[in-house]
Every structure is written in structure tokens, then in C-alpha cells.
Amino acid sequence: MKNRINQLLQQVQDMQATNAEELENLRIKYLSKKGEITALFGDFRNVAADEKKEIGMLLNNLKLQAQSRIDELKEQVAARTQQEEKQDLTRTPDPIALGTRHPLSLVREEIIDIFSHIGFTVAEGPEIEDDLHVFGMLNFAPEHPARDMQDTFFINKEKGIQKPTDILLRTHTSSVQTRVMTSQKPPIRVLCPGRVYRNEAISARAHCFFHQIEGLYIDKNVSFADLRQAMLYFAKEMFGPDTKIRLRPSYFPFTEPSAEMDISCNICGGKGCSFCKNTGWVEILGCGMVDPNVLESCGIDSTIYSGYAFGLGVERITNLKYRVKDLRLFSENDVRFLTQFESC
Ligand code: DAH
């Protein structure tokens, strides 16, 4: 009997409960009518008379200990339940890490914002295009090398035969010009941002997809001076008020005359450094007066209207602004790179 009492005393002292149900089970196990301690009281009548006093004391002590351990556990369970009720389980865990905008998105938005102040709105067109809108209506001769499979990702094309209905991934956002000009009447003043694709091997300096923004302005009496002024305004807004521009003659099938535009190197301020290859200038975009052939192919009367267009690479501008040396970083989604750009 004594041994059994000691055993139970040990068990009672070790009792643990994390909720009300476990606690109730303990009470039933030891103290209910059929409980183990209650059962010992039943056996008490069989204890020898000379032991009754001692065993009786031990038994009473066991019962008291059990009751007080259960009371103690009851308090613990109540405190815990109250604590849990206070917790708001719908709250997002801390700390809440805020994402950052992709650098290309930041720069694209900045460019759109700059041009919106001089009346440009945004137009978009499909990335999967046909030959007609990417090349044909933009005055590309049938055998122009840009149409070559080496540069262009064709989706369906009969070998060797050139058709306006060939489906391809657009190689430049100039294709959106043709979509806008055939669906809107002048005056037209749009920016066409988007992704473009070229069949290039991926390296630090080239990628098979990148981003451009095309600009187009068509109205009566638009002149080259308007183009130059708009480009100077953009360069100063984007790279600072001391920025100078320089236009060099160039060739694009869809503009005549055409030019490439340089800005004074914003790294050395025009003195010459390794970035500008000691010339003091860096090229940032292509531009020109929309070729009358392009206007006519889009149904715009070139004897009444004229216009200018320009096309810039978002990666190029982003590199100039943030000095990103490897183009691949833009598409790898490495958060160590992305979180370096502050969201505006
Ligand atoms: N589409 C040309 C390219 O991808 C860029 C360009 C040059 C666009 C001159 C123009 C332009 O609108 O006038 O290289």
C-alpha cells in the first residue's frame, strides 16, 4: 500500500496539462469516483490496524497533493487560454518586408513621366507581330538584313519566302507606330514602351530580349527643330540641366533624315573617361523625321502631315543612370540586386 501511495504521489507531482480537456482527464484518472486515489481509500479498510494511522496520513496527503496540483494546472491553463485569445492570429508576421520596383520599371516610368509633361500619352502593341507591321510598313526593303533569321525570331515562316503575314516576335517597338498610325488620326503624340526580341547570344552586353520606348509625334508642320528641342528637353530632365546633346547623321529605313543622339557623358561630365571611351559623349537613342513612305503606308497624307520619331533602349538609359555593368542582372530576379533600387 505504501509503495502504491508513493508511486501515485510521484505521478501526481509530475502531472502536466496544456488545455482544459487534458486537465479533466487527469482529474478523472486520479480523483473521480473511479479514480486511482479514490480506489485506494476503498482499500484502506483492509489495512492492518497498527498501520492505519500512518497509511491514513499518507493517503490524505496524497489526495491533498493531487487536488492542489490540479488547481495549480487549472490556473496555468486559464492564463494560457487568456493569452491566446488576446493574440490576433490574422496579423501578418513581423517584419513585413516591402518589395522594390524593378530598375527597368523605375526608369521606364521616369521617361514616360518626362514626356507626359509635353503632351505624350502611352500606346501599346502586341509582342507577337507580323512582318508587315514590324518591317513592311516601316519601309524595310524585302532583303533588308534586319529581316534575317539571324536577328529575328520567326514563329511561322516558309523557308526563303518573305511574306507580310509571317508571324514573328517584334524586334523593335517601332511596330507600335504603325499600329497607332493606322488606328488614329493626327495629331498623334505617343510613347510606346515594351519588350522586344532579337536572336542574340546572351552575354553581359547583349540579350535575346530587352526593352525599348518608341516616341512618335505627327502633326502639321512638325520639323527637325521640334525633334531636337524635344530631345534636349528629355536629356536635361533625365540626366541633369547641364547635359548637352549631339545629333549625328545615321540611317533607319523609317526615318529621313535619321540621326543618332549622344549626350555629354554623365559620368565624367564630358571630359573623357573609360565609360565614354574618352570621347566625352555616349549614344542614347536613334531618331529622325518619319519617312513619307511610312506615313503613306499607314494612310496618312504626307503632303499635309509630317512627324518625328525616336527609339531608345531602357536598359541603356538604366545603365547610364545606375551603372549596371551586366545586362543579365536585369532578368535574373536576384533580390540582392533588385533591393538596391529604391522604390519611388
Ligand atoms: N527601331 C530602332 C531600333 O530598334 C530605334 C529607332 C531609331 C526608332 C530611330 C526610331 C527612330 O523611331 O526614329 O534600333
Side-chain angles (χ1 to χ4, degrees), residues 291-343:
D291 193 301
N293 286 345
V294 174
L295 293 176
E296 293 296 335
S297 73
C298 295
I300 293 175
D301 189 339
S302 64
T303 60
I304 304 176
Y305 293 103
S306 57
Y308 65 70
F310 56 90
L312 52 84
V314 183
E315 278 82 351
R316 174 110 186 114
I317 307 277
T318 310
N319 285 348
L320 272 173
K321 230 184 131 96
Y322 296 112
R323 323 269 145 84
V324 180
K325 293 219 173 70
D326 190 328
L327 266 184
R328 290 168 290 196
L329 285 167
F330 289 128
S331 49
E332 279 167 354
N333 269 346
D334 185 334
V335 284
R336 289 169 302 179
F337 169 70
L338 296 176
T339 49
Q340 292 175 44
F341 299 89
E342 241 176 77
S343 283

Side-chain angles (χ1 to χ4, degrees), residues 140 171-174 177 196 198 210 212-215 252 254-255 258-259 285-289 308-312:
F140 280 80
T171 54
H172 55 178
T173 44
S174 303
Q177 274 193 31
V196 300
R198 288 189 198 170
F210 51 98
Q212 289 187 331
I213 297 182
E214 182 81 14
F252 299 102
F254 35 91
T255 43
S258 305
L285 55 81
C287 58
M289 301 306 292
Y308 65 70
F310 56 90
L312 52 84

Side-chain angles (χ1 to χ4, degrees), residues 40-58:
L40 279 187
F41 275 93
D43 295 344
F44 184 67
R45 74 180 96 91
N46 304 327
V47 172
D50 59 341
E51 282 184 335
K52 269 210 158 68
K53 190 176 175 201
E54 187 193 358
I55 302 272
M57 273 166 62
L58 289 174

